[in-house]
């Protein structure tokens, strides 16, 4: 089968489409015939060597949407032919989801949304779980105020939706051209990129990784949630600083799927690319103005 891999770190041109063996599920695992797979910023980071692994052939891809093809021993509740979504956690792995088949732990998958196709569903796992954990870490009661930076991005946009659904009063920080978009996602107020937030907020989800600049918008004793481990600013003024790290969690993913099917969570896809054009997707990922997930189709 074919899979997108990288053996030499560097630009999109280092990405290869290689012939690899079809994986077999071990006990407690399922094999998925991949129909669509999201291309995330973390894939670009893996490609350039941020997470190490020099000298290895590293498989790319974390998000997957497709159907179960084979179940391993001891797996219950899943059978061949079921549409699923899942998260293949881990930056340095021999095979990712940018492949014709992928094997995941059964606990990492959820039934795919019934109301969207595989392309849209592939935009959910990594971004949805990241945004949901960030909003949960805020620990704020309904009516509290929260600033979401990078609110027009995929993770930021999902965080806006989930925070608003939780009853939080959301201010979105994004480019001036994105005001209508973020308000449509549930933001009650808007701050253009580079602008100042007038009133301190109870919490911030820093999807744009602004660090100290985002922390400065939080009131004394509030909460800052960063999305990249080990990248948060130092705590000050009694502010609680949290860093989320996503995990493969089929049960939590299933709850997000239910929100998609209820029309309470909108998934955004910007462009699709064939697996053979994965390098083009990586090049596009590095360009400005991408509003929605890039997705490989198989």
């Amino acid at each position: 089968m074919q899979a997108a891999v990288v053996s030499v770190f560097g630009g999109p041109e280092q990405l290869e489409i290689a012939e690899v063996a079809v994986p077999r599920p071990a006990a407690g695992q399922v094999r998925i015939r991949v129909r669509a797979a999201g291309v995330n910023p973390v894939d670009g980071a893996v490609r350039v060597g941020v997470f190490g692994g020099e000298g290895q052939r590293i498989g790319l891809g974390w998000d997957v949407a497709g159907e179960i093809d084979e179940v391993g021993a001891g797996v219950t509740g899943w059978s061949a032919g079921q549409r699923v979504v899942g998260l293949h956690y881990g930056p340095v792995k021999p095979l990712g989801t940018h492949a014709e088949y992928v094997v995941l732990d059964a606990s990492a998958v959820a039934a795919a949304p019934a109301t969207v196709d595989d392309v849209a569903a592939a935009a959910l796992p990594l971004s949805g779980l990241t945004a949901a954990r960030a909003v949960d870490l805020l620990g704020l009661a309904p009516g509290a105020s929260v600033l979401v930076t990078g609110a027009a991005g995929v993770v930021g946009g999902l965080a806006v939706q989930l925070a608003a659904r939780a009853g939080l009063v959301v201010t979105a920080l994004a480019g001036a051209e994105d005001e209508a978009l973020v308000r449509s996602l549930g933001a009650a107020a808007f701050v253009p990129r580079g602008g100042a937030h007038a009133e301190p907020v109870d919490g911030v989800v820093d999807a744009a990784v602004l660090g100290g600049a985002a922390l400065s918008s939080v009131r004394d004793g509030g909460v800052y949630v960063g999305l990249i481990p080990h990248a948060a600013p130092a705590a000050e003024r009694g502010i609680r600083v949290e860093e989320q790290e996503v995990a493969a969690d089929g049960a939590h993913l299933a709850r997000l799927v239910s929100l998609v099917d209820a029309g309470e969570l909108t998934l955004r896809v910007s462009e699709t690319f064939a697996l053979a054009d994965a390098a083009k997707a990586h090049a596009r990922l590095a360009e400005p103005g991408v509003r929605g997930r890039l997705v490989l189709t198989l």
Side-chain angles (χ1 to χ4, degrees):
M1 70 168 189
Q2 294 190 319
V5 302
V6 61
S7 301
V8 178
F9 296 139
E13 71 280 359
Q14 299 298 345
L15 191 150
E16 309 169 50
I17 304 300
E19 284 290 335
V20 303
V22 177
R24 293 295 305 277
Q29 295 183 323
V30 298
R31 185 170 69 191
I32 300 169
R33 174 63 174 95
V34 180
R35 297 301 179 187
V39 181
N40 292 276
V42 70
D43 295 308
V46 172
R47 191 198 70 238
V48 301
V50 169
F51 302 100
E54 186 175 3
Q56 302 178 42
R57 187 169 72 177
I58 303 170
L60 299 172
W62 294 49
D63 290 322
V64 61
E67 63 264 0
I68 291 176
D69 169 73
E70 185 179 347
V71 298
V75 172
T76 60
W78 298 110
S79 59
Q82 287 181 281
R83 289 183 63 235
V84 293
V85 289
L87 176 67
H88 194 4
Y89 176 84
V92 181
K93 54 204 176 195
L95 181 65
T97 63
H98 296 172
E100 293 180 77
Y101 294 88
V102 68
V103 165
L104 297 183
D105 291 342
S107 61
V109 302
T115 55
V116 300
D117 62 13
D118 290 328
V119 170
L124 178 63
L126 178 57
S127 297
L129 288 169
T130 298
R133 176 141 175 81
V135 172
D136 288 346
L137 283 172
L138 287 171
L140 297 173
S145 58
V146 61
L147 174 69
V148 177
T149 71
V154 178
V155 175
L158 289 169
V160 169
Q161 294 180 71
L162 292 168
R165 184 180 179 278
L168 304 179
V169 180
V170 179
T171 296
L173 189 153
E177 68 278 9
D178 293 314
E179 181 174 1
L181 168 64
V182 296
R183 286 189 181 276
S184 75
L185 297 175
F190 175 77
V191 177
R193 188 183 302 117
H197 188 258
E199 296 294 330
V201 292
D202 297 312
V204 62
V205 173
D206 190 15
V209 199
L210 300 182
L215 188 76
S216 67
S217 297
V218 182
R219 65 167 174 80
D220 295 357
V223 57
Y224 168 100
V225 179
L227 303 188
I228 300 177
H230 316 301
E236 61 180 55
R237 298 183 286 112
I239 295 171
R240 174 169 55 90
V241 172
E242 300 276 6
E243 293 179 315
Q244 80 84 39
E245 183 166 1
V246 74
D249 185 339
H252 199 169
L253 186 54
R255 292 194 289 273
L256 296 174
V257 166
S258 70
L259 295 180
V260 173
D261 281 339
E264 298 181 27
L265 198 60
T266 299
L267 302 174
R268 294 182 292 143
V269 173
S270 176
E271 299 173 53
T272 61
F273 298 81
L275 178 63
D277 293 326
K280 294 180 181 179
H282 275 241
R284 179 69 179 107
L285 187 67
E287 296 173 354
V290 177
R291 290 293 177 265
R293 181 59 62 227
L294 304 178
V295 176
L296 299 181
T297 58
L298 292 90

